[in-house]
Amino acid sequence: YIMAKKDEVKLTSTEKFAQKTNLWIGNNAKLLIGIGIAIIVALVVLVVALTIVDKASEKKFDALSALEVSYSKLDEIGDDVFIKEAEALVSDAGLDSYPGAKAALLIGDVSFDNEDYKTALEWYEKVADSQSKTYLYQVAMIDAAAANEMLGNNSEALDQYNLLWETYGKDGLYGSRALFNAARLYEAEGNLELAKATYEQLVGEYSETQSEYASLAKTRLGQLN
């Protein structure tokens, strides 16, 4: 009898809680419906926004693909037309995006090929500044170093080669190339001991690979010793 009484009290408490819950829901039905509608609207807006962003991004990548086709036909369309097309993409996509940065690199390449090394350097450095966390940074830096060399800025070029090696080492895209060029510039400066040490470092780091630059370094060491 005592157990039955306890069960009855427990059941009654549960029923009271259910009644209070139902009453609260009834009193706040409009509020709950409003919240539900707000959540649905927010989700719809989010989906629409993401769809718009995806389409805009796809459009920029399509423009980059078209630009790369134009780059392969420079002899037909002319440098001026290409550069205008590339600059339009840079302006539209921004240097912080892949399409915009890649377009800027292509402008730099065209300028470099035309021996306008100052303009090339400007574009390469813009990409390096805006793409510090992507592989395009390494591409821009190695190209900027080459442009600096052509401008006679050997000190700046040396700093860039060394920075590439110090930052990325063998994991970088241009590790062996950066080391070789640094050694070559040390040699040009007359700093033969540092040049030889850098050549030896290159040979040691890439002794187990078929690095073209390691082979060139061995040749230079043979000539310097």
Side-chain angles (χ1 to χ4, degrees), residues 173-216:
L173 296 175
Y174 306 105
S176 61
R177 178 177 168 184
L179 268 183
F180 180 82
N181 285 335
R184 179 174 53 75
L185 288 178
Y186 287 134
E187 187 179 346
E189 290 177 350
N191 194 340
L192 298 184
E193 290 305 313
L194 189 51
K196 287 192 287 185
T198 307
Y199 284 134
E200 287 170 355
Q201 180 185 7
L202 172 54
V203 172
E205 292 283 357
Y206 293 88
S207 60
E208 297 180 357
T209 69
Q210 295 182 341
S211 169
E212 170 191 359
Y213 290 101
S215 298
L216 291 172

Side-chain angles (χ1 to χ4, degrees), residues 6-221:
K6 286 182 179 179
D7 290 342
E8 182 181 347
V9 171
K10 190 173 183 180
L11 180 63
T12 301
S13 297
T14 301
E15 289 176 343
K16 285 181 179 181
F17 177 77
Q19 288 175 352
K20 288 180 179 180
T21 301
N22 290 333
L23 181 61
W24 185 88
I25 292 173
N27 291 336
N28 295 278
K30 291 183 178 179
L31 174 63
L32 292 174
I33 292 172
I35 293 173
I37 292 173
I39 291 173
I40 292 172
V41 169
L43 289 173
V44 170
V45 170
L46 178 60
V47 170
V48 171
L50 290 174
T51 300
I52 292 173
V53 169
D54 285 343
K55 287 183 177 179
S57 178
E58 183 179 352
K59 182 180 178 181
K60 291 171 185 176
F61 275 93
D62 287 343
L64 176 59
S65 296
L67 184 67
E68 289 173 331
V69 171
S70 296
Y71 183 73
S72 68
K73 299 179 179 178
L74 273 178
D75 292 339
E76 298 177 25
I77 67 172
D79 293 348
D80 291 342
V81 172
F82 173 82
I83 288 175
K84 285 182 180 179
E85 185 180 341
E87 286 177 340
L89 179 54
V90 173
S91 178
D92 181 47
L95 283 166
D96 58 339
S97 71
Y98 179 84
K102 190 64 185 294
L105 282 175
L106 291 176
I107 296 173
D109 291 344
V110 171
S111 301
F112 193 99
D113 291 341
N114 288 332
E115 299 183 2
D116 184 358
Y117 304 117
K118 186 175 182 296
T119 299
L121 178 61
E122 290 172 355
W123 282 105
Y124 293 146
E125 289 183 337
K126 286 179 182 179
V127 175
D129 290 341
S130 61
Q131 293 288 324
S132 61
K133 295 182 179 180
T134 75
Y135 85 94
L136 290 179
Y137 170 81
Q138 297 180 63
V139 177
M141 283 291 285
I142 200 75
D143 289 343
N148 266 319
E149 280 200 68
M150 298 306 296
L151 289 168
N153 304 328
N154 286 356
S155 178
E156 288 83 350
L158 182 58
D159 288 343
Q160 289 168 324
Y161 290 133
N162 282 329
L163 180 60
L164 279 172
W165 174 257
E166 291 165 5
T167 304
Y168 301 100
K170 289 179 68 174
D171 293 331
L173 296 175
Y174 306 105
S176 61
R177 178 177 168 184
L179 268 183
F180 180 82
N181 285 335
R184 179 174 53 75
L185 288 178
Y186 287 134
E187 187 179 346
E189 290 177 350
N191 194 340
L192 298 184
E193 290 305 313
L194 189 51
K196 287 192 287 185
T198 307
Y199 284 134
E200 287 170 355
Q201 180 185 7
L202 172 54
V203 172
E205 292 283 357
Y206 293 88
S207 60
E208 297 180 357
T209 69
Q210 295 182 341
S211 169
E212 170 191 359
Y213 290 101
S215 298
L216 291 172
K218 286 181 181 179
T219 301
R220 291 305 303 145
L221 282 171

